[in-house]
Amino acid sequence: MSRLNALDAALQSATGAGDEAAFGTALRALLDAVRRLGTPLPDERIIPSDLALPDEDTSLLQVRELLSGEGLIPG
């Protein structure tokens, strides 16, 4: 979780600064880490989650609307 929180902080910083290039890099890094560190579930299995991440095509403005004080990754 500490690695994901660090990537989330970078995403928050880029979003707050309105830096499109840093935002794209940070979002891709966060999503790549979740894919690498997470456990895939079958498509037919639906379970509750504390995390909801946007896809790579989500804009900086859309992510800005999603961010809370804790970022996308709570904790």
Side-chain angles (χ1 to χ4, degrees), residues 19-53:
D19 185 336
E20 291 279 353
F23 165 79
T25 299
L27 180 58
R28 281 188 300 281
L30 178 60
L31 294 174
D32 288 346
V34 168
R35 290 180 186 118
R36 191 175 60 255
L37 300 171
T39 304
L41 295 174
D43 289 340
E44 63 277 358
R45 185 158 180 222
I46 299 174
I47 62 170
S49 175
D50 292 334
L51 307 178
L53 300 176

Side-chain angles (χ1 to χ4, degrees), residues 8-24 26-27 60 64:
D8 187 39
L11 181 66
Q12 278 188 289
S13 178
T15 302
D19 185 336
E20 291 279 353
F23 165 79
L27 180 58
L60 186 147
R64 186 177 284 159

